[in-house]
Amino acid sequence: AQSVTQLDSHVSVSEGTPVLLRCNYSSSYSPSLFWYVQHPNKGLQLLLKYTSAATLVKGINGFEAEFKKSETSFHLTKPSAHMSDAAEYFCVVSASNTDKLIFGTGTRLQVFP
Amino acid sequence: NAGVTQTPKFRILKIGQSMTLQCAQDMNHNYMYWYRQDPGMGLKLIYYSVGAGITDKGEVPNGYNVSRSTTEDFPLRLELAAPSQTSVYFCASSQQLGETQYFGPGTRLLVL
């Protein structure tokens, strides 16, 4: 069975400093992995997606994530946080394109000026 | 191209009342989903559909019903509203079951 664990429920950073949001997954197969972002009172928007091509995936708004099979991790990073990055971020796993998505519990990112 | 739309945006229900949350997509996706989002709990799948006329239960289906008469529409029905159904409800659609899902803006439901 697939599962995903987001290791931090809240992360606070200063504007201009790096962002690291941690995600570990469990999957019996070669998974597809996603990061979604949810701004306040909005729906979820896809940030990036890994599907067994390059292990370093670049997404929108300067975010990227690295798939590390040996560590079963898919951490999300950004070199320099912007105030507009303040949002809830969800790590998501799917065993294959014939399987449902499993959502993590989310990490709330706060960005201070 | 509106993507996924949901109505209403917000609703207050009394215990025992019923209502239908509407969802529509214009991307010709076969797969559609209903999730509920409770604080600190992530998204839980209520029901999903793999095409018109075909629906299946997700993780938390109790208290809800769905139908899928067309590719575009996937309404969610609450028959006897309970306080435990206070939540934010999201509809989504995708080309394949495990592929990128596109989400609507959500419906905030308060049951008192």
Side-chain angles (χ1 to χ4, degrees):
Chain A
Q2 290 68 242
S3 67
V4 61
T5 302
Q6 292 185 242
L7 299 168
D8 308 290
S9 58
H10 290 87
V11 170
S12 297
V13 300
S14 297
E15 192 174 22
T17 64
V19 175
L20 170 64
L21 305 183
R22 299 181 295 164
C23 173
N24 286 350
Y25 70 91
S26 173
S27 177
S28 303
Y29 308 96
S30 294
S32 293
L33 291 157
F34 309 77
W35 275 99
Y36 280 83
V37 60
Q38 183 183 28
H39 287 96
N41 300 313
K42 301 286 187 186
L44 279 73
Q45 179 187 14
L46 181 71
L47 265 184
L48 51 81
K49 171 183 171 181
Y50 166 78
T51 54
S52 76
T55 56
L56 183 63
V57 183
K58 294 189 183 301
I60 61 172
N61 300 334
F63 284 94
E64 61 182 38
E66 186 172 7
F67 173 72
K68 292 187 176 179
K69 188 174 181 179
S70 60
E71 298 176 10
T72 61
S73 69
F74 191 57
H75 301 335
L76 182 70
T77 60
K78 183 173 180 178
S80 176
H82 192 272
M83 295 296 291
S84 61
D85 295 328
E88 186 99 17
Y89 291 80
F90 293 95
C91 184
V92 183
V93 65
S94 170
S96 72
N97 65 359
T98 60
D99 203 3
K100 297 185 287 295
L101 301 188
I102 304 298
F103 286 78
T105 52
T107 298
R108 182 167 298 278
L109 176 65
Q110 285 186 303
V111 182
F112 294 102
Chain B
N1 188 336
V4 180
T5 57
Q6 292 183 239
T7 55
K9 285 188 177 11
F10 177 68
R11 182 78 181 266
I12 299 175
L13 279 184
K14 294 182 179 178
I15 294 172
Q17 285 185 321
S18 62
M19 77 164 293
T20 299
L21 284 66
Q22 301 291 346
C23 173
Q25 54 94 7
D26 62 0
M27 296 174 281
N28 202 33
H29 287 164
N30 283 326
Y31 295 84
M32 295 187 73
Y33 315 82
W34 274 106
Y35 294 91
R36 58 177 287 171
Q37 183 181 30
D38 301 315
M41 299 295 290
L43 273 69
K44 301 291 186 185
L45 183 65
I46 304 171
Y47 271 96
Y48 69 102
S49 169
V50 304
I54 308 170
T55 63
D56 204 353
K57 294 178 180 179
E59 189 178 355
V60 290
N62 291 343
Y64 307 94
N65 279 301
V66 293
S67 59
R68 184 98 180 269
S69 56
T70 66
T71 299
E72 294 77 21
D73 301 298
F74 190 41
L76 178 72
R77 178 93 178 149
L78 283 70
E79 292 294 350
L80 290 169
S84 60
Q85 294 177 305
T86 292
S87 190
V88 181
Y89 292 85
F90 288 101
C91 180
S93 71
S94 68
Q95 289 276 25
Q96 292 285 343
L97 197 56
E99 291 292 330
T100 301
Q101 292 185 10
Y102 297 86
F103 284 81
T107 294
R108 189 173 296 272
L109 177 65
L110 181 60
V111 182
L112 299 174

